[in-house]
Amino acid sequence: MNEGQIELIVQKVMEQLQKRFTPDHNIARENVKEIIEKGLVFREQDWKTSIPQPAFKEGVAELTASTPARIGVWRTGTRPLTKTMLKLQFDHAAAIDAVSSEVLEKYLEEFNLFTVETCYENKEVYLKRPDKGRVLTDDAVDTISSRCQKRPQVQIVVSDGLSASAVETNLKDVYPALIDSLKINNLSFGTSFFVKGGRVACMDHIGDILEPEVLVLLIGERPGLVSASSMSAYMCYRPRKGIIESDRNVISNIHPLGTPPIEAGAHIGTVLRRMIEQKVSGVKLEL
Amino acid sequence: MKTKITLLNKTYQFSNLKEILAKANEEKSGDQLAGIAAKDAQERLAARHLLADLTLNDIRNNPVLAPEEDEVSRVIENSINEKNYQSIANWTVSDLRETLLSDTTTDIEITRLRKGLTSEMVAAVTKIMSNLDLIQAASKIEVITQCNFPIGYKGTLSGRAQPNHPTDSIQGIKASLYEALSYGIGDAVIGINPVIDNAESVKQILQMTKEEMDRFIIPTQNCVLAHVTTQMRAIKNGAPSDLLFQSLAGTESGNKAFGISVELLDEANDLIQKEGTSAGPNLWYFETGQGSELSSDAHHGIDQVTLEARCYGLAKKYHPFIVNTVVGFIGPEYLYNSKQVIRAGLEDHFMGKLQGLPMGVDVCYTNHMKADQNDMENLAILLGSAGVNFLIGVPMADDCMLNYQSTSFHDIASVRSVLGLRPAPYFEKWLEKMGIMENGKLTERAGDPTIFM
């Protein structure tokens, strides 16, 4: 089915739905039903499978409510039921797509972010060689040297990391909240940009070039099955080559079902202000 | 020692044993990341030809990491029985492979052989064995161990119940544990990875699992996989722990990165002997996995198969109840895809068994690895055929706390069913008593966790 056909169907469904509110109710309902029956509508509850005759009926809900683990799913022979299996595959599909896909330009244009690349070459090399994702290409070095303000108080960098969908899902909320929180904390910021194929330590290379007082990197995390769109904010005071992991601070698990993106954005400003006040980051920073 | 080989008209010169061992490996992204892998398939085969022709004597006399520099090397060196070693010192690596695979070589001969083998010799022979070689040879070896109850018999497959919870909720852990037990999983151990690594929290989880074991008289053992020092504190505070757990690396510096040393392990060993709650004699649970030394920059230019074999050389010292290689957890920079994970799983299982260890495998992957659940099901069946002592059981294979996928309760039950394997004997009797299993098959009641409520 191509996009045109899908649009047509959507249009047709919409027309039919509108007709529901016309006086001729019954005919309209029939039409809607007919169209919906041509496709399957899957919602979260449609994946649920259950134990047909549990020994303690009321106990099932108590157990399943106590954990996000996939329990009480039942079986056929020794194998899982079809819907339980399809749900697991569906969640895994979202996670692998998040790793393999690229951030669409429109999400970056919204905040005027231009794009530079690390030496990652392609997705395969990116996964095999974490070291390459820590260094910007020569072109990237030239671009940010010429386009970015040097020695800003705060440098904001966004990167896809291991999840493009983390950027697409969260940036629209995190970024404006972060800008607001910088203003509230009386901090100024330089020229933000996007790094394709970045690893956390690309902060150090960028730090060497632009010499910001503090840098915050918003980067996609390794996707899990609960969320394939989780983002982390790594922060560092005077980032430069040779920084060790424990010199960085991080707010992780940023996604709509984890740390809410707007809250995370607001919190980052406070952490950055403290770094500037205490002239330190990482484990030594007092929050 | 020979370091040069001519294959047809092309000559390859290697500088030392370390290089030959590394280049003879099947392709692994971790060896490539370390910059020690063969340049191409032909160089790999040149190294493998040369390795097949080296003697066990060559391997012992050219240590990849000198005992004077590394305590893991010392542990391995000290475990050698000189008489057994002398009787095979002139064998080539190829001789060792062919002996292991010969019809006339039984488990009894292998038991004698292993006393003369170093971990590096075990790694060497692994590199010249195909996947089916690794399965065939491992399937001969039976390693029975006992904590509270014995496991590891031929014809059995045990499961670790891994009822993890993202906030260590006691109720949540219990819920997943009930689900595991209802599928006949938990005979290897009830083992929880805690989120919070402190003695009080570890004690609470140990107490809950012990209470459940007592309430239903479950013939198994409990363990919480915190850092060994945390478990030691919990045990000193009266926590009922049947087993001590620790992750191991194949070098002293790798272990230092894990916050352990041989001295600390010795101290912990004394404690669990005196204050553990189980019958014994096997009181340790170790975990390993290819790539951990490289990730902490503690690999000394040694390949990840050899380093993994050295972990087992260290583990052997403590006569563990179970050893588990967490084969695909570390990520694609060490094992890139399912082909590499499957190979590593078979290698690790064989290398552990050849060194006399009760090997289990966490057949698993992360979401940025080129692998999926089908690949894990394949490897689980291969390992079942190879006689793996236990697999990991996670609800629908999705660990909601560690964020990776392993094998499910359903998967372990299926491997048992397809290959005609049984749970550990005492556990099977208990399953029958609970009405969960009959004649080795799950009953209608199985899969209903509310029978424990």
Side-chain angles (χ1 to χ4, degrees):
Chain A
M1 203 187 289
N2 64 29
E3 233 174 87
Q5 283 171 303
I6 294 172
E7 265 173 36
L8 265 178
I9 292 173
V10 171
Q11 206 181 343
K12 216 169 162 192
V13 172
M14 291 309 290
E15 278 168 16
Q16 296 296 345
L17 282 173
Q18 275 166 4
K19 279 187 195 161
R20 281 182 67 158
F21 302 102
T22 61
D24 203 351
H25 260 289
N26 290 334
I27 296 168
R29 262 201 204 116
E30 297 258 275
N31 286 345
V32 171
K33 208 173 154 212
E34 187 194 328
I35 286 163
I36 286 174
E37 272 173 359
K38 282 180 187 161
L40 265 177
V41 179
F42 249 79
R43 284 152 304 188
E44 201 62 39
Q45 66 264 32
D46 295 315
W47 272 300
K48 287 256 186 304
T49 51
S50 57
I51 303 159
Q53 286 173 313
F56 175 40
K57 210 168 172 218
E58 295 72 27
V60 179
E62 192 187 316
L63 291 179
T64 53
S66 69
T67 175
R70 296 165 202 249
I71 61 166
V73 294
W74 198 235
R75 63 195 175 85
T76 171
T78 57
R79 301 306 297 153
L81 299 180
T82 309
K83 281 181 181 167
T84 336
M85 194 181 71
L86 289 176
K87 177 68 166 89
L88 183 79
Q89 291 174 357
F90 180 81
D91 291 343
H92 183 237
I96 54 175
D97 286 349
V99 176
S100 67
S101 64
E102 297 193 347
V103 178
L104 292 175
E105 269 301 316
K106 64 173 180 184
Y107 293 96
L108 305 173
E109 279 165 7
E110 193 178 341
F111 303 111
N112 296 319
L113 302 178
F114 65 90
T115 299
V116 296
E117 292 190 9
T118 66
C119 300
Y120 81 104
E121 295 169 39
N122 57 53
K123 284 283 174 188
E124 182 173 338
V125 176
Y126 177 78
L127 292 174
K128 284 183 172 173
R129 294 285 304 270
D131 52 320
K132 294 202 171 195
R134 296 175 191 141
V135 184
L136 300 190
T137 61
D138 291 345
D139 276 356
V141 173
D142 291 345
T143 308
I144 64 169
S145 301
S146 63
R147 289 184 70 169
C148 295
Q149 182 198 328
K150 284 274 270 180
R151 298 192 188 88
Q153 196 171 26
V154 177
Q155 175 68 49
I156 304 170
V157 181
V158 180
S159 182
D160 43 7
L162 283 164
S163 173
S165 65
V167 174
E168 296 186 352
T169 306
N170 304 304
L171 194 66
K172 60 179 189 303
D173 293 323
V174 171
Y175 195 84
L178 168 58
I179 301 294
D180 285 346
S181 115
L182 293 180
K183 285 176 186 156
I184 291 166
N185 285 286
N186 285 319
L187 299 174
S188 62
F189 58 98
T191 322
S192 308
F193 59 94
F194 176 75
V195 176
K196 202 166 162 183
R199 294 273 178 179
V200 172
C202 75
M203 299 169 78
D204 305 349
H205 193 197
I206 296 166
D208 280 338
I209 302 160
L210 297 178
E211 300 176 16
E213 206 168 346
V214 291
L215 189 151
V216 53
L217 172 68
L218 302 168
I219 186 167
E221 287 176 6
R222 174 174 133 173
L225 292 201
V226 174
S227 174
S229 310
S230 190
M231 178 182 253
S232 283
Y234 282 86
M235 293 160 278
C236 188
Y237 179 74
R238 295 206 186 283
R240 61 204 175 276
K241 285 234 175 76
I243 282 283
I244 54 172
E245 288 302 322
S246 56
D247 286 337
R248 300 189 184 104
N249 295 79
V250 62
I251 299 171
S252 61
N253 206 24
I254 304 171
H255 61 95
L257 301 170
T259 307
I262 293 175
E263 252 176 56
H267 186 51
I268 295 168
T270 316
V271 177
L272 295 178
R273 178 169 52 78
R274 300 227 160 107
M275 283 182 182
I276 289 170
E277 285 166 1
Q278 299 174 31
K279 298 191 186 309
V280 75
S281 59
V283 287
K284 289 180 198 135
L285 184 73
E286 286 170 33
L287 286 169
Chain B
M1 192 187 85
K2 284 172 257 175
T3 55
K4 192 158 107 178
I5 184 169
T6 304
L7 286 179
L8 296 177
N9 293 321
K10 202 163 174 192
T11 301
Y12 297 85
Q13 173 70 57
F14 301 96
S15 51
N16 52 30
L17 178 66
K18 194 152 84 172
E19 185 186 358
I20 297 168
L21 284 170
K23 292 191 167 170
N25 267 350
E26 289 287 344
E27 187 178 336
K28 300 272 176 62
S29 50
D31 291 334
Q32 291 167 336
L33 180 62
I36 56 174
K39 283 194 299 290
D40 53 38
Q42 289 196 55
E43 191 191 21
R44 174 168 301 120
L45 263 298
R48 209 172 286 168
H49 277 73
L50 196 50
L51 183 61
D53 212 44
L54 295 183
T55 62
L56 301 185
N57 191 40
D58 287 333
I59 293 173
R60 188 157 182 212
N61 293 340
N62 292 279
V64 292
L65 186 52
E68 302 79 53
E69 293 167 30
D70 185 277
E71 65 180 14
V72 177
S73 298
R74 287 198 287 282
V75 168
I76 294 166
E77 185 60 27
N78 290 341
S79 71
I80 297 290
N81 175 308
E82 289 300 330
K83 277 193 185 145
N84 290 31
Y85 166 70
Q86 284 307 332
S87 70
I88 56 172
N90 291 325
W91 286 15
T92 62
V93 176
S94 169
D95 292 336
L96 177 58
R97 170 181 174 274
E98 291 177 5
T99 304
L100 289 170
L101 293 169
S102 162
D103 278 337
T104 55
T105 307
T106 64
D107 198 10
I108 294 166
E109 274 86 51
I110 294 174
T111 306
R112 190 182 57 82
L113 264 180
R114 86 164 49 101
K115 291 186 166 183
L117 295 175
T118 63
S119 300
E120 287 79 4
M121 295 171 197
V122 170
V125 74
T126 302
K127 291 157 197 275
I128 64 160
M129 290 172 80
S130 73
N131 285 7
L132 192 49
D133 289 355
L134 296 171
I135 293 171
Q136 167 71 48
S139 73
K140 294 183 181 185
I141 305 171
E142 184 180 51
V143 184
I144 299 163
T145 51
Q146 177 171 328
C147 179
N148 285 322
F149 292 87
I151 67 166
Y153 297 93
K154 278 207 167 205
T156 67
L157 170 66
S158 295
R160 166 184 162 190
Q162 183 170 303
N164 294 342
H165 187 278
T167 60
D168 287 347
S169 149
I170 294 291
Q171 284 310 315
I173 293 170
K174 209 187 272 185
S176 289
L177 172 61
Y178 289 168
E179 177 95 349
L181 295 169
S182 79
Y183 282 84
I185 312 305
D187 44 347
V189 64
I190 296 169
I192 293 99
N193 298 83
V195 182
I196 307 155
D197 199 294
N198 74 42
E200 193 42 45
S201 173
V202 167
K203 186 178 171 184
Q204 276 176 21
I205 300 172
L206 285 167
Q207 274 170 339
M208 179 277 281
T209 46
K210 201 67 175 178
E211 278 162 23
E212 293 300 313
M213 284 163 62
D214 290 345
R215 191 153 75 96
F216 295 103
I217 322 170
I218 311 171
T220 186
Q221 29 280 321
N222 70 345
C223 186
V224 173
L225 288 77
H227 192 269
V228 67
T229 51
T230 312
Q231 295 168 78
M232 287 164 78
R233 274 197 298 278
I235 291 170
K236 284 174 188 162
N237 294 341
S241 187
D242 293 332
L243 280 166
L244 267 183
F245 164 82
Q246 181 54 41
S247 294
L248 297 182
T251 62
E252 184 177 334
S253 46
N255 284 320
K256 199 175 164 195
F258 281 146
I260 59 161
S261 63
V262 170
E263 191 190 353
L264 177 66
L265 292 174
D266 287 347
E267 190 192 323
N269 194 46
D270 285 345
L271 180 74
I272 191 79
Q273 298 291 345
K274 285 183 193 130
E275 297 192 34
T277 38
S278 58
N282 309 105
L283 304 176
W284 279 94
Y285 173 4
F286 292 124
E287 281 191 352
T288 64
Q290 290 187 26
S292 62
E293 297 84 2
L294 177 58
S295 75
S296 59
D297 201 19
H299 60 107
H300 299 274
I302 305 166
D303 70 273
Q304 62 190 38
V305 170
T306 305
L307 290 167
E308 182 71 10
R310 287 166 54 91
C311 295
Y312 305 137
L314 174 60
K316 206 166 72 169
K317 179 176 196 274
Y318 300 98
H319 308 286
F321 172 64
I322 43 177
V323 178
N324 178 35
T325 169
V326 191
V327 72
F329 186 68
I330 191 160
E333 58 267 47
Y334 304 94
L335 295 169
Y336 181 64
N337 55 20
S338 54
K339 186 182 164 86
Q340 296 186 9
V341 171
I342 288 170
R343 175 72 193 176
L346 296 176
E347 287 169 341
D348 294 356
H349 174 253
F350 166 77
M351 293 196 296
K353 282 278 172 78
L354 184 53
Q355 296 185 71
L357 294 179
M359 288 304 295
V361 179
D362 189 349
V363 172
C364 63
Y365 62 108
T366 61
N367 292 316
H368 58 320
M369 195 175 254
K370 292 242 178 292
D372 63 22
Q373 211 57 42
N374 284 333
D375 299 313
M376 299 307 113
E377 293 175 8
N378 290 352
L379 181 54
I381 286 286
L382 294 177
L383 286 165
S385 311
V388 72
N389 283 33
F390 68 100
L391 296 173
I392 302 294
V394 176
M396 281 306 290
D398 170 20
D399 191 303
C400 58
M401 176 266 179
L402 291 171
N403 277 324
Y404 77 124
Q405 286 91 254
S406 179
T407 42
S408 65
F409 306 142
H410 298 77
D411 292 340
I412 297 175
S414 302
V415 175
R416 282 174 177 162
S417 152
V418 169
L419 299 176
L421 300 171
R422 297 290 187 88
Y426 286 94
F427 198 78
E428 182 175 350
K429 285 207 184 76
W430 176 78
L431 290 172
E432 283 170 358
K433 198 183 79 190
M434 295 298 295
I436 295 169
M437 189 170 262
E438 255 172 42
N439 303 317
K441 290 207 176 337
L442 293 179
T443 64
E444 273 302 299
R445 254 164 89 84
D448 175 6
T450 68
I451 59 178
F452 295 101
M453 296 182 81

